[in-house]
Amino acid sequence: MTSQIGVGALHCVLPDVRVPVGELPETELMTAEELAFVRGSGIDTVGEFADEPVSALAARAVRELLEAHPGPADLLLMVGSRAPDVLIGSDVSRVQAESGLRSAFAFSVDGLGCTGSSAAWGLARDLLIADPGRQRVVIAHASRPAGLDRVRYPVTVIGDGAYAMTMTRGGRPVLRAHRMETDGAFHDLFTIDYKKTPWYEWREHCAQPDRYRMELALHSRLRLSRMVDEVLAEAGIERGEVAATLMQNVTASAYQFYETLLGLPIHPLCRGHLAAYGHLGAMDVVLNLQTLLAGDDVAEGDRVLVINNSPTAAWSVTLWEV
């Protein structure tokens, strides 16, 4: 049944090494305004792996997930990283080769930033519906900074991590309702001049910080408020019937903003992950969902709302039934 497509398994890989944000090398060259942003972000430490490529980290997450939950997969979706390991070549093909998913068709979901994971599980659900012969889709992603700097002023501070998950028939939690939207008007708000600059000098540039803080925030306010209403209406429930609300971990102030906007409390585990690991890009919502499901705050039949958006101007709202 199409209504019973959900999560088969979740597996996150996090570093043992965590570095206080005040000890990051780039903070020595920051302005007073940038330092104030870092100190007020709600991030205490960020996790760091050794110099391991994103595709290798993603492949490790898939291998470890398949060791615990063996079996074939029909499709492998890699959520694109901030910067690919190779140009012309294929990061997702490396993940396929190193994870042993030889029979799966492998491709990437890219250009959506943090929202990529939400887009991937929505797409996986649709692909399973489209072909009754498909049984399992594997989704993978790894978070690493694009260059040497971890501070993305005025957005967040980047930590390392990787995850793999499966979407299957009969999986739980069940994906009950889902919405995705993008706005191409913000496509060049954040850039890195990688063609003219060696990788060790890559610096992310925000063309208009005030546009990020004001105009994009206004778009997010209007869209996510409407999208939450649409998702809840599709599922036939009210806000009070949502057992927990999760979102990506960007800054502590973002939680306050969306709690006020949506009238829904953001689960405190999000703040805990933000403080300990920093922003893990598209991995945030997967780590938050895995931790919630492993605890005692939700039970079978509860509804969990996952909100996700990114500076690429992509938004997603998903309702899961545990």
Side-chain angles (χ1 to χ4, degrees):
M1 296 174 58
T2 58
S3 61
Q4 295 299 320
I5 292 173
V7 175
L10 294 164
H11 176 66
C12 293
V13 179
L14 292 165
D16 294 325
V17 175
R18 285 191 279 175
V19 179
V21 293
E23 296 179 11
L24 293 172
E26 62 264 37
T27 58
E28 297 179 5
L29 302 176
M30 287 184 174
T31 65
E33 183 179 9
E34 291 169 337
L35 282 172
F37 164 77
V38 172
R39 291 166 181 159
S41 65
I43 301 171
D44 299 327
T45 58
V46 290
E48 283 192 358
F49 280 119
D51 293 332
E52 193 170 0
V54 290
S55 51
L57 283 173
R60 172 186 165 187
V62 174
R63 285 195 307 273
E64 292 179 0
L65 178 137
L66 294 177
E67 287 171 3
H69 306 275
D74 301 287
L75 301 163
L76 169 63
L77 278 63
M78 182 176 180
V79 179
S81 62
R82 296 176 182 86
D85 289 336
V86 294
L87 296 176
I88 304 300
S90 173
D91 288 358
V92 69
S93 293
R94 177 176 178 177
V95 174
Q96 180 183 29
E98 295 188 1
S99 62
L101 286 174
R102 294 178 178 84
S103 63
F105 179 75
F107 65 101
S108 295
V109 179
D110 206 357
L112 298 173
C114 320
T115 315
S117 289
S118 299
W121 64 46
L123 179 58
R125 188 272 308 264
D126 292 347
L127 289 169
L128 289 171
I129 291 172
D131 186 346
R134 297 181 181 127
Q135 297 300 318
R136 184 160 79 153
V137 179
V138 175
I139 303 170
H141 173 72
S143 170
R144 297 294 299 269
L148 295 178
D149 292 353
R150 293 186 175 275
V151 177
R152 290 186 64 199
Y153 176 79
V155 183
T156 189
V157 185
I158 302 297
D160 294 346
Y163 81 83
M165 65 180 287
T166 58
M167 292 288 290
T168 64
R169 301 182 189 280
R172 298 196 79 92
V174 179
L175 199 162
R176 289 301 187 199
H178 183 68
R179 290 288 187 281
M180 295 185 296
E181 294 185 8
T182 59
D183 187 341
F186 296 89
H187 71 277
D188 58 351
L189 187 56
F190 291 88
T191 57
I192 290 178
D193 183 7
Y194 77 95
K195 289 188 175 182
K196 298 179 181 178
T197 308
W199 73 268
Y200 50 82
E201 293 182 4
W202 284 3
R203 298 292 183 273
E204 184 175 27
H205 173 65
C206 180
Q208 297 170 297
D210 287 342
R211 191 178 183 216
Y212 167 75
R213 296 188 186 99
M214 304 297 292
E215 186 178 349
L216 184 56
L218 176 61
H219 276 262
S220 296
R221 178 185 296 118
L222 296 174
R223 288 188 187 244
L224 286 175
S225 180
R226 170 178 52 77
M227 291 167 70
V228 166
D229 289 341
E230 291 173 353
V231 163
L232 296 180
E234 180 180 335
I237 67 171
E238 303 292 335
R239 276 170 164 72
E241 297 176 80
V242 175
T245 302
L246 306 174
M247 61 176 287
Q248 80 277 18
N249 310 325
V250 181
T251 61
S253 60
Y255 301 129
Q256 301 165 2
F257 175 85
Y258 285 108
E259 284 179 337
T260 302
L261 168 67
L262 302 174
L264 290 164
I266 304 301
H267 198 285
L269 69 83
C270 299
R271 292 176 176 81
H273 288 156
L274 175 71
Y277 299 108
H279 175 51
L280 302 177
M283 179 176 169
D284 280 343
V285 290
V286 178
L287 176 62
N288 293 342
L289 183 61
Q290 176 183 269
T291 304
L292 178 71
L293 296 174
D296 299 322
D297 289 348
V298 292
E300 185 173 343
D302 282 347
R303 281 76 162 226
V304 176
L305 193 68
V306 178
I307 301 161
N308 209 353
N309 70 314
S310 75
T312 62
W315 301 269
S316 177
V317 178
T318 308
L319 185 72
W320 299 93
E321 181 181 322
V322 178

